[in-house]
Amino acid sequence: MSQSRTLFIGLDVHKETIAVAYVAHDHGAAVTCLGTIGTRQCAVDSLIRKRQSKAQHLLFVYEAGPCGSWLSRSLTNKGYDCWVVAPSLIPQKPGDRVKTDRSDAVQLARSGDLTAVSVPTVEDEAMRDLSRAREETLSDLTDATFRLNAFLRRHAIRSTGRANWSPAPLRWLSEVVCPTPAQHIVFQAYVRAVTAHTARLRRLAHARQEHVESWRFHAVVAALQALRGGQCTVAVTMVADIGDLSRCDTPRALRKFVGVIPSEDSSGARRQQGSMTTAGTTHARRALVEGAWAYRSPAKGSRPLQLRREKHPTSIQDIS
């Protein structure tokens, strides 16, 4: 039996199991389902050994999902090609309403014409996790602050000072006494939640600043901070989620990747454009939009912005 040149192996990856199917890169070749294997490294190595006799070149394909990129890195380190495809890029028949692990693996094995998405390195993914952890902590702090303010408003407990978390309001909160012991327990729990989220946000921001200094994209992050609205949070979030900006050949390709180009439904002489496609990463798009708000007002050139620009060559200063 002659070997096929390329064997596409579709993997439907889950927490405990991986459904496997493969098809040879030959015209009219049938897809073969192998069932499921475990997610341990020994199970993956056994699959590789058994399939090496079927083809000269093995190409693994699986969907990006909550299980991360460990499988792609493991296969790449062993010298095999691995495509991680976005679920939205996999073609789906309009009338097909049957979805199983086996059908997903078969569909991935047939997806030889899909474009693989970029898999971040361990260091890039670590910076992305740190950036998103800070973003989640900020959301938790906002929710905790809202619950505390709602509790105070509901019981007509009002402060005479400003509604912020400076030392004066914090001292006032320590002196608040609720009408009943049960309500005071709830009030103290809300205050402790706000204090804990504030301290965690401060720790994550400090850790992010330390790790950015040794990151391989530190120069890109610093250059983005020369733009108005491109403070450290916006710059790190964008670079951590987009990755290497050189992957996009043109500015339009970058806008398409982030999902800030208008949608379009045109036919014949009629051209109709709609709202943004909102494709791609949500975190990078939100950071980009927040940074762009600074350009709605006239340029003032604050002192911190001037200090950030002075560290860069003239070409970057002219762009900013």
Side-chain angles (χ1 to χ4, degrees):
M1 181 177 178
S2 61
Q3 284 187 338
S4 174
R5 182 176 297 274
T6 303
L7 195 70
F8 288 94
I9 303 177
L11 307 174
D12 190 36
V13 183
H14 295 277
K15 179 182 177 181
E16 301 293 342
T17 60
I18 301 177
V20 183
Y22 70 90
V23 61
H25 188 51
D26 298 328
H27 182 71
V31 180
T32 304
C33 296
L34 295 180
T36 59
I37 63 173
T39 55
R40 296 182 181 274
Q41 189 63 50
C42 58
V44 179
D45 294 339
S46 176
L47 171 66
I48 294 175
R49 288 194 301 268
K50 293 178 180 179
R51 294 307 105 198
Q52 281 179 335
S53 60
K54 298 290 184 179
Q56 303 173 2
H57 177 220
L58 301 181
L59 198 155
F60 297 85
V61 185
Y62 73 94
E63 293 180 357
C67 294
S69 305
W70 67 270
L71 183 56
S72 173
R73 297 193 186 101
S74 175
L75 294 172
T76 303
N77 292 335
K78 293 179 180 297
Y80 298 100
D81 291 336
C82 182
W83 292 356
V84 181
V85 299
S88 59
L89 299 180
I90 300 177
Q92 186 74 24
K93 294 181 180 179
D96 189 2
R97 302 188 61 181
V98 178
K99 182 183 183 302
T100 63
D101 294 348
R102 176 174 177 172
S103 63
D104 290 344
V106 170
Q107 193 173 24
L108 288 169
R110 290 172 174 171
S111 301
D113 57 343
L114 289 180
T115 302
V117 300
S118 175
V119 177
T121 63
V122 177
E123 293 76 12
D124 295 347
E125 191 173 25
M127 184 58 64
R128 179 184 300 178
D129 291 338
L130 189 60
S131 175
R132 292 184 179 180
R134 182 197 172 277
E135 184 177 335
E136 293 166 356
T137 303
L138 183 60
S139 177
D140 294 340
L141 176 59
T142 302
D143 295 340
T145 305
F146 176 81
R147 284 191 291 266
L148 177 58
N149 289 332
F151 179 86
L152 296 175
R153 189 181 305 111
R154 188 165 59 248
H155 296 285
I157 302 175
R158 297 181 176 86
S159 172
T160 57
R162 295 183 177 180
N164 53 32
W165 299 100
S166 60
L170 292 177
R171 286 194 301 269
W172 172 78
L173 287 173
S174 64
E175 300 171 356
V176 170
V177 179
C178 296
T180 64
Q183 290 172 335
H184 195 69
I185 292 175
V186 175
F187 168 73
Q188 289 180 331
Y190 286 157
V191 173
R192 285 195 297 269
V194 172
T195 304
H197 291 318
T198 302
R200 185 172 60 167
L201 182 66
R202 191 180 300 111
R203 291 194 301 268
L204 289 173
H206 181 70
R208 181 193 61 186
Q209 187 64 33
E210 288 184 347
H211 286 78
V212 165
E213 299 295 333
S214 58
W215 194 24
R216 66 185 182 118
F217 290 130
H218 171 64
V220 181
V221 172
L224 288 176
Q225 293 185 58
L227 302 172
R228 283 195 295 152
Q231 291 85 352
C232 182
T233 300
V234 173
V236 172
T237 303
M238 287 184 55
V239 178
D241 275 84
I242 298 176
D244 190 0
L245 298 179
S246 62
R247 293 190 294 114
C248 302
D249 299 331
T250 61
R252 177 175 175 80
L254 179 59
R255 295 197 301 269
K256 182 178 179 181
F257 177 80
V258 182
V260 294
I261 62 172
S263 58
E264 186 171 352
D265 183 12
S266 301
S267 178
R270 179 184 62 86
R271 185 188 184 195
Q272 181 179 355
Q273 291 183 318
S275 58
M276 292 191 308
T277 60
T278 63
T281 167
T282 305
H283 303 273
R285 181 170 58 256
R286 181 169 57 250
L288 178 62
V289 172
E290 289 180 359
W293 275 91
Y295 285 86
R296 297 181 70 250
S297 57
K300 295 182 180 180
S302 62
R303 183 58 181 168
L305 179 60
Q306 293 177 0
L307 293 176
R308 294 199 302 265
R309 287 178 176 176
E310 290 175 356
K311 302 177 183 179
H312 301 286
T314 307
S315 57
I316 296 181
Q317 296 183 23
D318 294 340
I319 295 175
S320 63

